[in-house]
Amino acid sequence: MIRLFDTHHIRQMRELDGMWDFKMDNAEKAYQLPVPGCWEQHPDFLNHRGHGTYTRTVYINKSGNIRLEFKGVSHTADVYFDGNKIAHHYNAFTPFSVIVKDVTQGEHEIRVEVDNTFGEHSSLHIPNDYYTYGGITRPVALEYIPDAYIKNIRFTPMRTNGVWSAKIEVDIQNISDKKINIEIFSQLSKYEMKSDILEIDAQSTFTTAFERTFEDIRPWSNSEPNLYMLNTILYIDGKPVDDLIERIGFRTIDVGNTKIYLNGEPIYFKGFNRHEDYAVDGCAITLQHMVQDMDLIQDMNANAIRTCHYPNDERFLDLCDERGIMVWEENHARGLVLHDMQNPNFEQQCADCIREMIENHYNHPSIVIWGILNECAAETEEGRRIYKNQYEQIKSMDLSRPTTSATCRHFTDICLDLPDVVSFNMYSGWYQDCPIDERNDEQIAWIKQSGGNNKPIIVSELGAAAIYGYRDRSHCKWSEERQADIIRDNLSVYMRDDRIMGVFIWQFSDCRVTEEGEWFATRARCHNNKGVVDEYRRPKMAYDTIKELFEILRV
Ligand code: ADA
C-alpha cells in the first residue's frame, strides 16, 4: 500500500510490492527478497554494507508513457529500465520518480542497484546513533501517464476573520514535443473549480492556481482531525485523461509572543521522537507495525511526533493526519560536526532532501513545523551560513509553517535568531547530573539573550536509557526504574514551565545503531536503549509514567 487512501481514479497505477530477484555485490548466488524490505532481514546479510541488485520484470499492458515512483531506497539507488539507466537518487528517506516515454506493450525489466555503504559519497548516511539499512525499503509504484499529467498539487489553507479560504496550485507537466491544450477541474466537498483552457508548451511544466473561500468547513485539529478529499482531473480535448487525489485539512499554524497557535489557539506538544526502526522490519516498517506504534503513542496520551532525524514514510504521516497527531518533520541530518558539513556532497544532499520532503509532504495537515540539522555545527560561522541557507530554502517553498532546529550547543549556538521556534535537546539527569529546574532556568535565560527572545521554546529531546527487563531496586542508571525516575523528574519541570511550548521524549522505541563509529561503546546491544518501549514494542516502566503525566499535566 502506497498511501492510506486512493490517489487516483483515472490514472492507472499498480504497486510493485512483492518478491524481486536479488544478488549482493558481485556474488553469483541468487536470492529472492521482498519489496518493501531491508536485506538485513535475511540471515546472509544481517549487518551487510554493500551493493545489492534488485531485478524484476513488469508487463506493460498498453504502449505509452510510464512513471515509476520509489517511496524510499536505502540509501542510494541507480535505476535501469531494460538495461538503460533512468535514475539516480541519494537518501533513503525521500521519494523520487522517473518517467519512461513511449514504452511498448509487453514485458520489460526493472533493475535497481542499491548502495548502503559509508564514505564521502554519502554525507548524511554515516555511522550514527541509528542504523542505515539496505534495500528498497518503502513501496514502489508503476503508473501509466498521458503526455500531459498532473505532477504535483499544493493546498494552502488560510483563515481571515474566521472565514476559511485556500490556494490550490496544480503543477502540470507536458512531456511531449508539442504544445498541448488542457483544462483542470478540482473538487473539494461541494466546491468545484475549473480552469480556462491552458496551453502547455512542449517539454515544460506549468502551474495553474485556484483561490477561493470555503464556507461551513470543519477544520483539522489535534482533537478533531477533519480531512477532505481534493480531487483534481486533467482534461485534454474535453476528455478526462489524468487525475490526482490529495487528502487535505483546513488548519493554520502561527507563531507569536512565545507561543505556537493552531487555528488561533495556543498548542502544547506532548510528543515522542520516533525512529523508523522495528525489530523484525528494520526501517521498512509494515503498516500493521506503524498502526501499533500509533496506538501505543496515543495510549500514552501523546499528541505529537518528531520524525527524528529524517522525513518519514507517507503512510505514517497519513496516520498522523487521521489521528490528529501533530508532526515536526525534519530533513535528514544527525549530529554532524563542521567537518561532516564540509563534505563536498553535504549541501546539495541536504537541499535535495529538503526539496523532496516539502514537495511530497506539503499537503499533510499534521505537519505543523519543519526542522533541520539536528545537533549540527550551529556554533560555527560556516555552520550558520548553512543553517541560514536551509531555513531560506524552506521558506522559499512553504511560508505556511514555522521552522526550527534541535540544538545541543547549549551556550554556544549562534543560530537562534534564524528559526521561528527555538528547540533544545536536554538530558538533565542522564548526561548531565544537575538540578533540572536550575539547568532549565539557565538555558532559557541564555536563549532569551542569544537570539531566541520572544520565540516559542521546545524541549526537543529529554530522556534516559534503560535495558528492557533490567530492574534494580537501586534505581541505578540503565535500570527501568531510573529511566522512569529521570523522565518523571524532567516532565515535572518542563511541563509546569509556561515558558516551554512542548516536550518530545527521547525516544519512543529502542532502535538499532551502527557498530561503526564507536557507537558500540556507549550503546549496549548496538542499540540506542532510550526507548520507552524496546524494539519489539515491549513497554518499559517509563511507559506508565509518561501515560500518567501526559494525561494530568498541561491540560
Ligand atoms: C542526541 C541526538 C539523538 C540521540 C540522543 C542520545 O540528542 O539528537 O539522535 O543520539 O542524543 O540518545 O544520546
Side-chain angles (χ1 to χ4, degrees):
M1 167 175 264
I2 289 270
R3 299 291 299 275
L4 300 195
F5 58 92
D6 288 339
T7 52
H8 302 286
H9 291 155
I10 296 172
R11 187 185 303 178
Q12 284 186 46
M13 178 187 84
R14 57 180 287 209
E15 298 186 20
L16 301 185
D17 296 3
M19 301 306 287
W20 290 45
D21 295 331
F22 180 82
K23 287 187 178 179
M24 180 60 84
D25 299 327
N26 301 316
E28 271 314 303
K29 184 174 179 184
Y31 297 81
Q32 282 229 308
L33 293 187
V35 168
C38 306
W39 62 54
E40 288 83 0
Q41 307 317 310
H42 189 285
D44 291 358
F45 309 121
L46 298 171
N47 53 10
H48 189 86
R49 288 212 177 282
H51 298 78
T53 300
Y54 290 81
T55 310
R56 66 162 288 167
T57 58
V58 288
Y59 186 82
I60 302 300
N61 58 25
K62 65 177 180 178
S63 298
N65 311 314
I66 64 166
R67 177 176 179 270
L68 288 172
E69 182 168 19
F70 295 84
K71 292 297 187 179
V73 179
S74 187
H75 62 57
T76 296
D78 286 301
V79 183
Y80 298 81
F81 191 78
D82 292 340
N84 302 310
K85 186 165 182 180
I86 58 171
H88 171 84
H89 184 267
Y90 173 78
N91 207 321
F93 306 115
T94 47
F96 66 99
S97 63
V98 58
I99 289 169
V100 185
K101 293 177 61 178
D102 306 323
V103 176
T104 55
Q105 181 177 12
E107 199 153 82
H108 296 268
E109 182 195 74
I110 300 173
R111 187 173 89 245
V112 184
E113 295 180 355
V114 180
D115 168 16
N116 80 333
T117 61
F118 294 141
E120 185 174 85
H121 63 295
S122 173
S123 72
L124 303 175
H125 288 280
I126 65 172
N128 220 323
D129 201 11
Y130 61 94
Y131 199 82
T132 287
Y133 291 91
I136 302 178
T137 51
R138 293 181 184 168
V140 185
L142 183 151
E143 301 173 342
Y144 296 87
I145 56 166
D147 281 347
Y149 77 103
I150 300 172
K151 186 169 189 266
N152 206 5
I153 290 177
R154 285 174 302 286
F155 174 86
T156 308
M158 294 160 271
R159 192 171 66 152
T160 311
N161 302 322
V163 176
W164 283 103
S165 62
K167 183 175 184 181
I168 300 167
E169 297 167 280
V170 182
D171 299 338
I172 303 112
Q173 185 169 14
N174 176 359
I175 61 175
S176 76
D177 299 326
K178 59 185 187 315
K179 287 185 180 187
I180 297 180
N181 290 334
I182 65 114
E183 292 169 276
I184 294 292
F185 171 84
S186 279
Q187 181 167 8
L188 190 165
S189 180
K190 65 185 180 183
Y191 299 96
E192 298 181 350
M193 295 148 274
K194 192 171 180 304
S195 75
D196 298 332
I197 292 178
L198 307 167
E199 185 179 85
I200 318 289
D201 290 337
Q203 297 294 338
S204 70
T205 299
F206 178 85
T207 299
T208 188
F210 303 115
E211 282 196 66
R212 63 156 300 141
T213 57
F214 294 86
E215 285 74 38
D216 59 49
I217 278 297
R218 297 186 311 282
W220 187 94
S221 69
N222 165 235
S223 54
E224 293 183 50
N226 293 301
L227 295 169
Y228 292 88
M229 305 314 289
L230 173 61
N231 192 336
T232 301
I233 300 172
L234 184 150
Y235 289 82
I236 295 179
D237 301 330
K239 182 166 170 280
V241 295
D242 191 42
D243 69 339
L244 178 56
I245 302 169
E246 287 282 353
R247 192 172 65 179
I248 56 91
F250 285 84
R251 63 104 186 88
T252 58
I253 289 288
D254 299 291
V255 166
N257 191 23
T258 76
K259 289 182 172 45
I260 302 171
Y261 298 90
L262 176 71
N263 301 335
E265 296 297 322
I267 53 174
Y268 185 90
F269 296 123
K270 300 178 182 179
F272 281 102
N273 286 278
R274 173 180 177 270
H275 267 297
E276 289 184 329
D277 190 304
Y278 195 101
V280 296
D281 300 339
C283 70
I285 299 183
T286 63
L287 177 61
Q288 179 190 0
H289 288 150
M290 287 182 200
V291 173
Q292 180 190 23
D293 283 1
M294 183 60 78
D295 290 340
L296 294 172
I297 286 160
Q298 291 192 291
D299 184 55
M300 284 187 272
N301 299 310
N303 66 9
I305 284 288
R306 177 183 172 215
T307 68
C308 60
H309 298 290
Y310 37 75
N312 268 200
D313 188 306
E314 287 164 28
R315 294 167 296 171
F316 189 75
L317 298 174
D318 286 341
L319 274 176
C320 292
D321 293 340
E322 292 174 359
R323 304 278 189 105
I325 293 293
M326 297 177 285
V327 175
W328 159 340
E329 186 164 61
E330 62 185 32
N331 76 337
H332 179 201
R334 184 216 163 273
L336 302 173
V337 296
L338 184 57
H339 174 72
D340 299 320
M341 295 172 79
Q342 290 168 333
N343 175 314
N345 299 300
F346 175 77
E347 292 192 59
Q348 187 57 55
Q349 289 178 342
C350 281
D352 292 342
C353 179
I354 289 171
R355 174 176 49 77
E356 292 165 344
M357 173 176 75
I358 297 177
E359 276 179 353
N360 288 281
H361 297 172
Y362 185 90
N363 294 327
H364 287 280
S366 56
I367 298 175
V368 296
I369 194 165
W370 298 117
I372 61 169
L373 299 176
N374 175 75
E375 297 196 344
C376 296
E379 78 285 7
T380 68
E381 285 301 336
E382 173 63 1
R384 176 183 168 87
R385 178 188 65 78
I386 294 171
Y387 273 80
K388 187 170 186 294
N389 285 348
Q390 294 193 16
Y391 285 129
E392 288 173 352
Q393 180 189 358
I394 290 175
K395 291 298 185 185
S396 72
M397 297 183 72
D398 183 359
L399 289 171
S400 72
R401 294 175 171 96
T403 57
T404 192
S405 174
T407 183
C408 66
R409 291 355 189 228
H410 294 109
F411 299 104
T412 57
D413 193 304
I414 60 172
C415 298
L416 299 189
D417 60 313
L418 300 174
D420 301 306
V421 176
V422 169
S423 301
F424 270 71
N425 297 339
M426 307 288 283
Y427 282 92
S428 301
W430 182 255
Y431 292 126
Q432 297 106 19
D433 278 325
C434 57
I436 299 167
D437 51 357
E438 288 175 22
R439 183 78 178 67
N440 180 46
D441 289 342
E442 280 173 6
Q443 192 63 70
I444 291 177
W446 186 83
I447 288 171
K448 291 189 176 306
Q449 68 184 30
S450 308
N453 192 34
N454 209 35
K455 293 185 178 181
I457 296 172
I458 292 175
V459 176
S460 33
E461 293 181 27
L462 67 94
I467 299 295
Y468 173 77
Y470 174 46
R471 299 291 179 84
D472 194 307
R473 289 181 59 76
S474 73
H475 289 222
C476 60
K477 284 188 176 178
W478 292 96
S479 68
E480 288 194 26
E481 290 88 345
R482 186 66 166 279
Q483 182 190 43
D485 294 345
I486 290 172
I487 288 176
R488 174 181 297 282
D489 295 345
N490 276 267
L491 293 182
S492 300
V493 169
Y494 297 134
M495 295 187 73
R496 291 193 170 98
D497 187 332
D498 292 341
R499 298 169 295 177
I500 292 173
M501 294 304 124
V503 293
F504 288 86
I505 291 170
W506 186 272
Q507 63 172 326
F508 167 65
S509 72
D510 292 349
C511 70
R512 187 174 176 183
V513 306
T514 61
E515 188 173 308
E516 305 94 326
E518 306 292 306
W519 286 101
F520 70 91
T522 60
R523 297 290 186 265
R525 313 184 301 131
C526 277
H527 272 70
N528 181 306
N529 297 284
K530 296 187 183 73
V532 297
V533 299
D534 76 352
E535 63 271 25
Y536 292 92
R537 275 48 181 178
R538 298 177 297 184
K540 304 174 189 175
M541 288 175 74
Y543 183 104
D544 290 322
T545 301
I546 294 161
K547 180 170 181 168
E548 175 206 342
L549 295 178
F550 272 3
E551 181 177 25
I552 63 173
L553 295 180
R554 286 309 271 265
V555 290

